[in-house]
Amino acid sequence: MAAEQATTANSRLSRQLGGTEQTWCKAVPGGTGITVSALLFSKPPDFSVVSDAVGKLQTAHPILSCQLRHDPATGFYSYVTPATPPLKIQSFDRASTAEILRELANSPDGGDSSVSDFHLILEHEMNRNAWQSPDPESHVDSDVFFASVYTLPGVAGDKLAVALRLHTSACDLATAWTLCMELMTLLGEEGIIQRELECETKIAPAMEDCIPEEKIRKPFWARGIDMFGYSMNSLRLSNLSFEDTESPRASNLVRLQMNREDTHRILNGCKTRGIKLSGLLSAAAMISAYSSKGLPDYQQEKYAVVTLINCRSILDPVISSNRAGFYNSGILNTHDIRGGEELWELAGRAYTAFANAKNNNKHFTDLADLNFLMSKAIENPGLTPSSSLRTSLICVSEDTLVDDHGSGVEDYVVCASAHGVGPNIAIFNTIRGGELDCTCVYPSPLYSRKLMLELIDGMKRILVEAK
């Protein structure tokens, strides 16, 4: 009886990864798919309190206690839960953090005086790749969850940065946001544990196991045509001009922030026109990218936009919004830009193309195709322009994450690395206290911070001036 109970418990806390999760296991070693939730506390809680809160997160979400196990015979990965899940949390005191900041300041993009210490620590966490050099023959399981605490200098005293770093196969943007909000709530403004979390009883199933069969079915000939179309289109896509294609890459970020008045105006514009903010951000990015090249208006560029969809509510069974795991799918649309486009017209065109594809279940029927092509790009970088591994101009989330309750912290950011396979720029769009705040991640030194700041400043100007 005891053996039977152990087997049952193990089955709840272990399973083979689904197709999308397997693809992330290929992507993360190259640098794409390290998800980070980082919070900056101006009134630092004690380390013991932070450690207790992180432990509660791990207990509430069983997948955070998992390790990735590779089977050399099949090539597949599985989630397994050790008998005593370790709590991987590191603490860096003021001197250790200062040394890290000095090293970061000497990096190609680190010397910008406008970049805060918290910003640098966030970039540092995105590039701490515990999965970079996996040895399939070593039979050593890899943790999916790490936490770090950094002591930063402040004018009125030390501050504390808390970073949660996860393997994206176990953590999509919605999960990262949930963990950020839960940690914020656990610690509270007074730095004490204020409430308990609702605990999951088992690892949630893979997304592919929850897609209704009628929505994923696709004739063989249609799959072949779509694969051919994706492959041919990829050769015609335009990117931002590459600056350094040879040096080792890392993920850096810039932020697109707008005040409450401008945010309210553009959100009203989206509502009036029946489109989502993701369509408007995509349009602004395409116009800004085209303008940055100084091309004559008649010269056409073809840009790809990947829109990520949180599929939880449309799966069977439905996955709750705060359930940890990876439940994102994407739709890739291409748009021809000739210069002189009007923002709202292009935004409407971009969003309509996305919405039509979603209504036709392209986020499900093309899921395996896009995973396959992503794997092929990872294995054969030469299939992409200048071996850059760039697959689209922009990646943006369909739904913007909203925090209307006030954070109780000085700052917080949720994002993921993208310097392996991925877009020119990945936009993690949020609205906080009524103000737009987008974290924009890019591969450096393929692009410089100067170039990205120009692109983002262009986007902001386009959005502010939109009528």
Side-chain angles (χ1 to χ4, degrees):
M1 179 64 71
E4 182 179 337
Q5 290 175 341
T7 301
T8 302
N10 188 60
S11 66
R12 290 202 308 270
L13 300 177
S14 303
R15 67 165 172 81
Q16 184 172 295
L17 273 64
T20 301
E21 295 165 335
Q22 299 280 357
T23 301
W24 282 113
C25 287
K26 298 177 183 178
V28 171
T32 292
I34 301 168
T35 303
V36 176
S37 299
L39 303 91
L40 179 63
F41 293 87
S42 54
K43 297 179 180 178
D46 291 338
F47 176 77
S48 60
V49 176
V50 176
S51 181
D52 189 19
V54 172
K56 289 180 182 294
L57 287 180
Q58 196 172 29
T59 300
H61 304 285
I63 200 167
L64 304 187
S65 298
C66 284
Q67 295 178 323
L68 288 166
R69 175 172 296 171
H70 182 259
D71 183 351
T74 64
F76 287 107
Y77 286 85
S78 297
Y79 291 129
V80 296
T81 303
T84 306
L87 179 61
K88 298 283 186 175
I89 181 167
Q90 285 184 290
S91 178
F92 299 91
D93 61 17
R94 201 168 191 238
S96 300
T97 303
E99 181 58 32
I100 292 170
L101 291 172
R102 274 193 293 272
E103 293 177 4
L104 295 173
N106 291 328
S107 65
D109 261 354
D112 189 335
S113 60
S114 66
V115 178
S116 68
D117 289 345
F118 179 61
H119 184 142
L120 288 174
I121 288 297
L122 180 58
E123 291 183 341
H124 174 63
E125 279 292 312
M126 276 197 296
N127 294 293
R128 295 184 70 192
N129 195 342
W131 309 276
Q132 190 164 17
S133 302
D135 180 0
E137 305 303 322
S138 68
H139 304 290
V140 175
D141 300 332
S142 305
D143 296 314
V144 302
F145 175 53
F146 301 86
S148 301
V149 178
Y150 299 87
T151 303
L152 301 175
V155 176
D158 287 346
K159 302 178 182 181
L160 207 67
V162 180
L164 310 179
R165 177 165 39 96
L166 298 102
H167 193 286
T168 292
S169 70
C171 179
D172 59 13
L173 183 59
T175 295
W177 180 260
T178 293
L179 296 177
C180 188
M181 296 297 107
E182 288 182 342
L183 184 60
M184 207 181 294
T185 303
L186 280 172
L187 293 174
E189 294 187 25
E190 304 303 322
I192 58 174
I193 301 294
Q194 294 191 338
R195 71 174 179 86
E196 298 300 315
L197 300 177
E198 182 178 345
C199 293
E200 302 165 15
T201 58
K202 61 181 181 180
I203 299 172
M207 178 167 62
E208 286 84 353
D209 293 334
C210 302
I211 300 175
E213 187 174 344
E214 67 276 8
K215 291 187 177 182
I216 203 170
R217 193 181 299 117
K218 187 176 186 179
F220 177 78
W221 63 268
R223 189 173 302 280
I225 290 174
D226 284 347
M227 288 283 283
F228 180 76
Y230 281 130
S231 300
M232 291 302 295
N233 266 335
S234 67
L235 301 175
R236 300 159 55 202
L237 297 177
S238 299
N239 293 281
L240 295 172
S241 299
F242 302 135
E243 297 184 65
D244 181 350
T245 61
E246 301 297 330
S247 301
R249 290 179 198 150
S251 285
N252 285 355
L253 66 93
V254 293
R255 290 171 78 170
L256 168 59
Q257 297 171 307
M258 296 180 67
N259 63 35
R260 186 186 298 265
E261 181 182 352
D262 287 332
T263 300
H264 180 71
R265 181 177 50 76
I266 65 173
L267 290 177
N268 275 347
C270 290
K271 184 177 180 180
T272 300
R273 294 166 175 85
I275 66 175
K276 290 188 176 182
L277 180 61
S278 54
L280 186 66
L281 292 173
S282 299
M286 287 188 281
I287 294 173
S288 183
Y290 187 94
S291 299
S292 71
K293 295 186 176 184
L295 301 172
D297 284 352
Y298 59 81
Q299 185 168 329
Q300 178 175 292
E301 297 251 282
K302 183 181 286 291
Y303 292 130
V305 174
V306 172
T307 308
L308 296 179
I309 302 166
N310 181 356
C311 297
R312 285 171 169 79
S313 64
I314 51 179
L315 296 175
D316 185 18
V318 170
I319 304 294
S320 65
S321 60
N322 61 348
R323 192 75 182 271
F326 189 89
Y327 296 98
N328 279 359
S329 185
I331 287 176
L332 185 149
N333 296 114
T334 59
H335 303 281
D336 294 328
I337 307 297
R338 292 183 175 83
E341 278 83 3
E342 192 274 326
L343 176 66
W344 286 110
E345 186 279 329
L346 180 57
R349 177 154 47 101
Y351 182 73
T352 299
F354 161 75
N356 288 341
K358 185 180 178 183
N359 289 338
N360 289 322
N361 294 316
K362 295 282 279 185
H363 52 305
F364 288 147
T365 60
D366 289 13
L367 183 60
D369 300 343
L370 292 176
N371 283 338
F372 175 78
L373 292 171
M374 183 174 170
S375 296
K376 286 303 176 186
I378 294 168
E379 296 165 6
N380 304 279
L383 296 176
T384 60
S386 303
S387 298
S388 65
L389 290 173
R390 295 311 101 195
T391 55
S392 64
L393 172 70
I394 183 177
C395 179
V396 63
S397 295
E398 174 194 13
D399 294 314
T400 301
L401 298 169
V402 179
D403 174 18
D404 285 331
H405 306 294
S407 63
V409 297
E410 183 173 322
D411 198 5
Y412 64 96
V413 174
V414 174
C415 60
S417 63
H419 60 273
V421 65
N424 295 191
I425 186 165
I427 296 184
F428 300 89
N429 36 309
T430 67
I431 294 175
R432 309 175 192 183
E435 297 182 346
L436 181 66
D437 191 342
C438 298
T439 303
C440 308
V441 177
Y442 64 94
S444 172
L446 192 63
Y447 305 116
S448 65
R449 196 184 305 277
K450 179 177 181 293
L451 174 69
M452 280 298 160
L453 285 172
E454 290 172 354
L455 178 76
I456 295 304
D457 287 345
M459 287 180 62
K460 183 174 181 178
R461 183 172 59 254
I462 291 164
L463 291 169
V464 169
E465 294 174 355
K467 302 301 182 184

